[in-house]
Amino acid sequence: MSDALEKTSEVVCDNNNISDDQTIQLNPGNGACTYHVGSGTDEVSHLLSTPQVTENNGEQHIVDVDDVSNGSSTETSKWRRELRSLKTELNQVVVWKLRLWVVILLIFLVITLVIGISVIVCAVIDDDDGDENYDKSSFVVERFFRGNFTLDNSSTSYSLDQETLLEQLEQKLTGVYSSSPALERYFSIATINHLQDTTAQFKIKFMMPSEHEELVRYTLSLKMVKNVLVQHLYDQDTGDPLYIIPTSLSMELG
């Protein structure tokens, strides 16, 4: 035969988006026959075996259920292993046949107990102020201050006789120093020596212990004793019948 005859036949089947390509090639010249079946069926079969999730926008995402299950199982197993490891460590015997969790509990209890005792001790110390415990009989050294002040002209004290007025002025000075937290323990007596018109002369006596160097420098200094009285005078009610003019006060040692 002078010319080779070739004949090719293709059969394509389409069923539900599944393509099956078959190609038959005949070569009469040499008697060879080639038969080819496309791989479309295998590809479609593979796609059908994979779950598909279709969203509203028409896109498709492939979700591997096996991978999700395996990941969740791995996390659960890891968490369980850690929990078992923690339980094992807490149940270990560490000292005196005591397990670790018992030792931790005892430590917390001891810390709580120490804090509670500290709070109670501090409260007791605050209530029992050491400065309140003193022996006044040990105050044997005298310290005097003297000065004068002027009563207000509008005061109703003029309606009183002089003896009553002197007594009330002494009570007023006594009340000032006997109510002072700093000076009350050292205060002894306050007297009005002379009253002329609206001006009164006074004398204040304090008692100190034998060792009083720091005391006379600070607590019983002239500045401290005078400031206590000045502060009281500025706090007076203007309607007080024994109103003393604060700026009229003068004081010195002696």
mmCIF file of all heavy atoms in Angstrom, residues 85-115:
data_model
loop_
_atom_site.group_PDB
_atom_site.id
_atom_site.type_symbol
_atom_site.label_atom_id
_atom_site.label_comp_id
_atom_site.label_asym_id
_atom_site.label_seq_id
_atom_site.Cartn_x
_atom_site.Cartn_y
_atom_site.Cartn_z
ATOM 1 N N SER A 85 0.188 15.731 84.346
ATOM 2 C CA SER A 85 1.527 16.074 84.828
ATOM 3 C C SER A 85 1.456 16.941 86.078
ATOM 4 O O SER A 85 2.208 16.738 87.039
ATOM 5 C CB SER A 85 2.293 16.804 83.724
ATOM 6 O OG SER A 85 3.557 17.226 84.180
ATOM 7 N N LEU A 86 0.510 17.907 86.084
ATOM 8 C CA LEU A 86 0.349 18.773 87.246
ATOM 9 C C LEU A 86 -0.103 17.981 88.464
ATOM 10 O O LEU A 86 0.400 18.175 89.578
ATOM 11 C CB LEU A 86 -0.657 19.877 86.924
ATOM 12 C CG LEU A 86 -0.969 20.864 88.050
ATOM 13 C CD1 LEU A 86 0.294 21.603 88.475
ATOM 14 C CD2 LEU A 86 -2.047 21.856 87.615
ATOM 15 N N LYS A 87 -1.059 17.084 88.268
ATOM 16 C CA LYS A 87 -1.528 16.255 89.381
ATOM 17 C C LYS A 87 -0.398 15.397 89.934
ATOM 18 O O LYS A 87 -0.265 15.223 91.143
ATOM 19 C CB LYS A 87 -2.686 15.370 88.915
ATOM 20 C CG LYS A 87 -3.981 16.130 88.663
ATOM 21 C CD LYS A 87 -5.087 15.180 88.244
ATOM 22 C CE LYS A 87 -6.401 15.919 88.033
ATOM 23 N NZ LYS A 87 -7.490 15.007 87.611
ATOM 24 N N THR A 88 0.415 14.882 89.035
ATOM 25 C CA THR A 88 1.534 14.044 89.473
ATOM 26 C C THR A 88 2.520 14.844 90.319
ATOM 27 O O THR A 88 2.993 14.381 91.363
ATOM 28 C CB THR A 88 2.253 13.456 88.248
ATOM 29 O OG1 THR A 88 1.317 12.688 87.475
ATOM 30 C CG2 THR A 88 3.402 12.558 88.685
ATOM 31 N N GLU A 89 2.819 16.075 89.870
ATOM 32 C CA GLU A 89 3.760 16.914 90.617
ATOM 33 C C GLU A 89 3.199 17.302 91.980
ATOM 34 O O GLU A 89 3.926 17.321 92.982
ATOM 35 C CB GLU A 89 4.088 18.167 89.807
ATOM 36 C CG GLU A 89 4.889 17.883 88.546
ATOM 37 C CD GLU A 89 5.153 19.139 87.744
ATOM 38 O OE1 GLU A 89 4.684 20.216 88.185
ATOM 39 O OE2 GLU A 89 5.812 19.057 86.700
ATOM 40 N N LEU A 90 1.915 17.638 92.047
ATOM 41 C CA LEU A 90 1.309 18.037 93.316
ATOM 42 C C LEU A 90 1.240 16.885 94.304
ATOM 43 O O LEU A 90 1.226 17.098 95.519
ATOM 44 C CB LEU A 90 -0.094 18.608 93.078
ATOM 45 C CG LEU A 90 -0.165 19.961 92.375
ATOM 46 C CD1 LEU A 90 -1.610 20.352 92.118
ATOM 47 C CD2 LEU A 90 0.529 21.044 93.203
ATOM 48 N N ASN A 91 1.179 15.680 93.818
ATOM 49 C CA ASN A 91 1.080 14.511 94.695
ATOM 50 C C ASN A 91 2.440 13.944 95.081
ATOM 51 O O ASN A 91 2.511 12.936 95.790
ATOM 52 C CB ASN A 91 0.245 13.418 94.021
ATOM 53 C CG ASN A 91 -1.238 13.756 94.023
ATOM 54 O OD1 ASN A 91 -1.759 14.269 95.006
ATOM 55 N ND2 ASN A 91 -1.913 13.480 92.921
ATOM 56 N N GLN A 92 3.504 14.587 94.636
ATOM 57 C CA GLN A 92 4.837 14.119 94.999
ATOM 58 C C GLN A 92 5.124 14.422 96.468
ATOM 59 O O GLN A 92 4.767 15.477 96.982
ATOM 60 C CB GLN A 92 5.894 14.790 94.122
ATOM 61 C CG GLN A 92 5.892 14.306 92.683
ATOM 62 C CD GLN A 92 6.960 14.988 91.856
ATOM 63 O OE1 GLN A 92 7.609 15.920 92.320
ATOM 64 N NE2 GLN A 92 7.148 14.520 90.637
ATOM 65 N N VAL A 93 5.788 13.516 97.142
ATOM 66 C CA VAL A 93 6.182 13.704 98.539
ATOM 67 C C VAL A 93 7.472 14.507 98.557
ATOM 68 O O VAL A 93 8.470 14.129 97.945
ATOM 69 C CB VAL A 93 6.374 12.352 99.243
ATOM 70 C CG1 VAL A 93 6.853 12.567 100.673
ATOM 71 C CG2 VAL A 93 5.072 11.555 99.232
ATOM 72 N N VAL A 94 7.454 15.651 99.272
ATOM 73 C CA VAL A 94 8.614 16.539 99.251
ATOM 74 C C VAL A 94 9.345 16.592 100.584
ATOM 75 O O VAL A 94 10.572 16.616 100.635
ATOM 76 C CB VAL A 94 8.190 17.961 98.820
ATOM 77 C CG1 VAL A 94 7.792 17.984 97.360
ATOM 78 C CG2 VAL A 94 7.039 18.474 99.673
ATOM 79 N N VAL A 95 8.624 16.639 101.701
ATOM 80 C CA VAL A 95 9.280 16.737 102.998
ATOM 81 C C VAL A 95 8.373 16.144 104.068
ATOM 82 O O VAL A 95 7.159 16.352 104.052
ATOM 83 C CB VAL A 95 9.618 18.214 103.331
ATOM 84 C CG1 VAL A 95 8.372 19.060 103.416
ATOM 85 C CG2 VAL A 95 10.408 18.312 104.639
ATOM 86 N N TRP A 96 8.989 15.405 104.981
ATOM 87 C CA TRP A 96 8.259 14.804 106.103
ATOM 88 C C TRP A 96 7.018 14.038 105.640
ATOM 89 O O TRP A 96 5.954 14.106 106.240
ATOM 90 C CB TRP A 96 7.838 15.877 107.106
ATOM 91 C CG TRP A 96 8.995 16.509 107.806
ATOM 92 C CD1 TRP A 96 10.254 16.021 107.937
ATOM 93 C CD2 TRP A 96 8.990 17.784 108.458
ATOM 94 N NE1 TRP A 96 11.043 16.891 108.622
ATOM 95 C CE2 TRP A 96 10.295 17.987 108.963
ATOM 96 C CE3 TRP A 96 8.027 18.757 108.667
ATOM 97 C CZ2 TRP A 96 10.653 19.124 109.660
ATOM 98 C CZ3 TRP A 96 8.383 19.888 109.366
ATOM 99 C CH2 TRP A 96 9.676 20.068 109.856
ATOM 100 N N LYS A 97 7.139 13.352 104.550
ATOM 101 C CA LYS A 97 6.049 12.554 103.987
ATOM 102 C C LYS A 97 4.817 13.396 103.636
ATOM 103 O O LYS A 97 3.696 12.887 103.569
ATOM 104 C CB LYS A 97 5.647 11.433 104.952
ATOM 105 C CG LYS A 97 6.763 10.425 105.208
ATOM 106 C CD LYS A 97 6.286 9.311 106.120
ATOM 107 C CE LYS A 97 7.397 8.287 106.361
ATOM 108 N NZ LYS A 97 6.952 7.181 107.238
ATOM 109 N N LEU A 98 5.047 14.669 103.434
ATOM 110 C CA LEU A 98 3.955 15.565 103.044
ATOM 111 C C LEU A 98 3.992 15.778 101.538
ATOM 112 O O LEU A 98 5.053 15.988 100.956
ATOM 113 C CB LEU A 98 4.083 16.920 103.758
ATOM 114 C CG LEU A 98 3.952 16.901 105.285
ATOM 115 C CD1 LEU A 98 4.184 18.299 105.839
ATOM 116 C CD2 LEU A 98 2.580 16.386 105.699
ATOM 117 N N ARG A 99 2.826 15.737 100.941
ATOM 118 C CA ARG A 99 2.741 15.968 99.506
ATOM 119 C C ARG A 99 2.902 17.460 99.201
ATOM 120 O O ARG A 99 2.702 18.312 100.061
ATOM 121 C CB ARG A 99 1.414 15.448 98.962
ATOM 122 C CG ARG A 99 1.235 13.951 99.175
ATOM 123 C CD ARG A 99 -0.046 13.444 98.547
ATOM 124 N NE ARG A 99 -0.264 12.039 98.843
ATOM 125 C CZ ARG A 99 0.272 11.038 98.156
ATOM 126 N NH1 ARG A 99 1.052 11.306 97.114
ATOM 127 N NH2 ARG A 99 0.031 9.780 98.485
ATOM 128 N N LEU A 100 3.239 17.739 97.952
ATOM 129 C CA LEU A 100 3.528 19.114 97.562
ATOM 130 C C LEU A 100 2.332 20.030 97.781
ATOM 131 O O LEU A 100 2.471 21.156 98.262
ATOM 132 C CB LEU A 100 3.956 19.160 96.089
ATOM 133 C CG LEU A 100 4.295 20.544 95.532
ATOM 134 C CD1 LEU A 100 5.426 21.186 96.315
ATOM 135 C CD2 LEU A 100 4.649 20.446 94.047
ATOM 136 N N TRP A 101 1.118 19.570 97.459
ATOM 137 C CA TRP A 101 -0.054 20.432 97.614
ATOM 138 C C TRP A 101 -0.330 20.753 99.076
ATOM 139 O O TRP A 101 -0.808 21.839 99.414
ATOM 140 C CB TRP A 101 -1.278 19.795 96.953
ATOM 141 C CG TRP A 101 -1.807 18.560 97.631
ATOM 142 C CD1 TRP A 101 -1.462 17.270 97.381
ATOM 143 C CD2 TRP A 101 -2.772 18.519 98.693
ATOM 144 N NE1 TRP A 101 -2.147 16.418 98.202
ATOM 145 C CE2 TRP A 101 -2.966 17.155 99.023
ATOM 146 C CE3 TRP A 101 -3.485 19.487 99.382
ATOM 147 C CZ2 TRP A 101 -3.844 16.752 100.017
ATOM 148 C CZ3 TRP A 101 -4.362 19.087 100.376
ATOM 149 C CH2 TRP A 101 -4.534 17.729 100.686
ATOM 150 N N VAL A 102 0.012 19.814 99.973
ATOM 151 C CA VAL A 102 -0.157 20.067 101.406
ATOM 152 C C VAL A 102 0.832 21.131 101.876
ATOM 153 O O VAL A 102 0.491 22.025 102.663
ATOM 154 C CB VAL A 102 0.022 18.764 102.207
ATOM 155 C CG1 VAL A 102 -0.076 19.038 103.702
ATOM 156 C CG2 VAL A 102 -1.023 17.735 101.789
ATOM 157 N N VAL A 103 2.071 21.049 101.386
ATOM 158 C CA VAL A 103 3.089 22.031 101.760
ATOM 159 C C VAL A 103 2.684 23.432 101.295
ATOM 160 O O VAL A 103 2.810 24.414 102.031
ATOM 161 C CB VAL A 103 4.453 21.638 101.161
ATOM 162 C CG1 VAL A 103 5.486 22.730 101.425
ATOM 163 C CG2 VAL A 103 4.922 20.311 101.739
ATOM 164 N N ILE A 104 2.178 23.537 100.057
ATOM 165 C CA ILE A 104 1.741 24.838 99.535
ATOM 166 C C ILE A 104 0.602 25.397 100.380
ATOM 167 O O ILE A 104 0.574 26.590 100.717
ATOM 168 C CB ILE A 104 1.309 24.700 98.064
ATOM 169 C CG1 ILE A 104 2.519 24.325 97.190
ATOM 170 C CG2 ILE A 104 0.679 25.996 97.563
ATOM 171 C CD1 ILE A 104 2.165 24.042 95.749
ATOM 172 N N LEU A 105 -0.338 24.544 100.752
ATOM 173 C CA LEU A 105 -1.465 24.983 101.581
ATOM 174 C C LEU A 105 -0.982 25.473 102.944
ATOM 175 O O LEU A 105 -1.453 26.502 103.457
ATOM 176 C CB LEU A 105 -2.457 23.833 101.741
ATOM 177 C CG LEU A 105 -3.719 24.134 102.568
ATOM 178 C CD1 LEU A 105 -4.517 25.263 101.931
ATOM 179 C CD2 LEU A 105 -4.581 22.884 102.703
ATOM 180 N N LEU A 106 -0.027 24.765 103.538
ATOM 181 C CA LEU A 106 0.504 25.176 104.840
ATOM 182 C C LEU A 106 1.218 26.522 104.750
ATOM 183 O O LEU A 106 1.119 27.353 105.660
ATOM 184 C CB LEU A 106 1.461 24.105 105.366
ATOM 185 C CG LEU A 106 0.817 22.782 105.813
ATOM 186 C CD1 LEU A 106 1.889 21.778 106.215
ATOM 187 C CD2 LEU A 106 -0.148 23.019 106.970
ATOM 188 N N ILE A 107 1.931 26.744 103.651
ATOM 189 C CA ILE A 107 2.632 28.024 103.471
ATOM 190 C C ILE A 107 1.634 29.174 103.420
ATOM 191 O O ILE A 107 1.822 30.218 104.059
ATOM 192 C CB ILE A 107 3.494 27.989 102.194
ATOM 193 C CG1 ILE A 107 4.668 27.013 102.374
ATOM 194 C CG2 ILE A 107 4.013 29.384 101.854
ATOM 195 C CD1 ILE A 107 5.491 26.808 101.120
ATOM 196 N N PHE A 108 0.548 28.999 102.668
ATOM 197 C CA PHE A 108 -0.474 30.044 102.591
ATOM 198 C C PHE A 108 -1.110 30.295 103.959
ATOM 199 O O PHE A 108 -1.380 31.440 104.335
ATOM 200 C CB PHE A 108 -1.549 29.660 101.578
ATOM 201 C CG PHE A 108 -1.197 30.009 100.163
ATOM 202 C CD1 PHE A 108 -0.875 29.017 99.252
ATOM 203 C CD2 PHE A 108 -1.174 31.336 99.742
ATOM 204 C CE1 PHE A 108 -0.540 29.340 97.943
ATOM 205 C CE2 PHE A 108 -0.847 31.665 98.441
ATOM 206 C CZ PHE A 108 -0.526 30.666 97.534
ATOM 207 N N LEU A 109 -1.346 29.235 104.718
ATOM 208 C CA LEU A 109 -1.940 29.398 106.040
ATOM 209 C C LEU A 109 -1.005 30.158 106.977
ATOM 210 O O LEU A 109 -1.439 31.017 107.752
ATOM 211 C CB LEU A 109 -2.277 28.023 106.629
ATOM 212 C CG LEU A 109 -3.441 27.273 105.965
ATOM 213 C CD1 LEU A 109 -3.606 25.891 106.585
ATOM 214 C CD2 LEU A 109 -4.741 28.070 106.099
ATOM 215 N N VAL A 110 0.292 29.845 106.908
ATOM 216 C CA VAL A 110 1.268 30.532 107.761
ATOM 217 C C VAL A 110 1.342 32.017 107.411
ATOM 218 O O VAL A 110 1.376 32.883 108.293
ATOM 219 C CB VAL A 110 2.654 29.869 107.624
ATOM 220 C CG1 VAL A 110 3.718 30.711 108.314
ATOM 221 C CG2 VAL A 110 2.634 28.470 108.217
ATOM 222 N N ILE A 111 1.360 32.326 106.104
ATOM 223 C CA ILE A 111 1.413 33.729 105.675
ATOM 224 C C ILE A 111 0.181 34.486 106.167
ATOM 225 O O ILE A 111 0.274 35.607 106.676
ATOM 226 C CB ILE A 111 1.527 33.813 104.144
ATOM 227 C CG1 ILE A 111 2.883 33.264 103.682
ATOM 228 C CG2 ILE A 111 1.353 35.252 103.667
ATOM 229 C CD1 ILE A 111 3.032 33.186 102.179
ATOM 230 N N THR A 112 -0.987 33.860 106.020
ATOM 231 C CA THR A 112 -2.224 34.496 106.486
ATOM 232 C C THR A 112 -2.194 34.730 107.988
ATOM 233 O O THR A 112 -2.609 35.786 108.485
ATOM 234 C CB THR A 112 -3.433 33.619 106.120
ATOM 235 O OG1 THR A 112 -3.449 33.394 104.702
ATOM 236 C CG2 THR A 112 -4.729 34.289 106.532
ATOM 237 N N LEU A 113 -1.676 33.753 108.732
ATOM 238 C CA LEU A 113 -1.600 33.877 110.188
ATOM 239 C C LEU A 113 -0.655 35.004 110.596
ATOM 240 O O LEU A 113 -0.959 35.794 111.501
ATOM 241 C CB LEU A 113 -1.134 32.547 110.785
ATOM 242 C CG LEU A 113 -1.071 32.473 112.316
ATOM 243 C CD1 LEU A 113 -2.455 32.684 112.911
ATOM 244 C CD2 LEU A 113 -0.503 31.132 112.766
ATOM 245 N N VAL A 114 0.485 35.104 109.924
ATOM 246 C CA VAL A 114 1.455 36.160 110.243
ATOM 247 C C VAL A 114 0.860 37.541 109.982
ATOM 248 O O VAL A 114 1.012 38.468 110.790
ATOM 249 C CB VAL A 114 2.745 35.963 109.421
ATOM 250 C CG1 VAL A 114 3.656 37.174 109.553
ATOM 251 C CG2 VAL A 114 3.472 34.707 109.871
ATOM 252 N N ILE A 115 0.169 37.678 108.845
ATOM 253 C CA ILE A 115 -0.457 38.967 108.524
ATOM 254 C C ILE A 115 -1.508 39.329 109.569
ATOM 255 O O ILE A 115 -1.595 40.473 110.025
ATOM 256 C CB ILE A 115 -1.081 38.920 107.120
ATOM 257 C CG1 ILE A 115 0.017 38.782 106.053
ATOM 258 C CG2 ILE A 115 -1.912 40.168 106.854
ATOM 259 C CD1 ILE A 115 -0.518 38.600 104.651
#
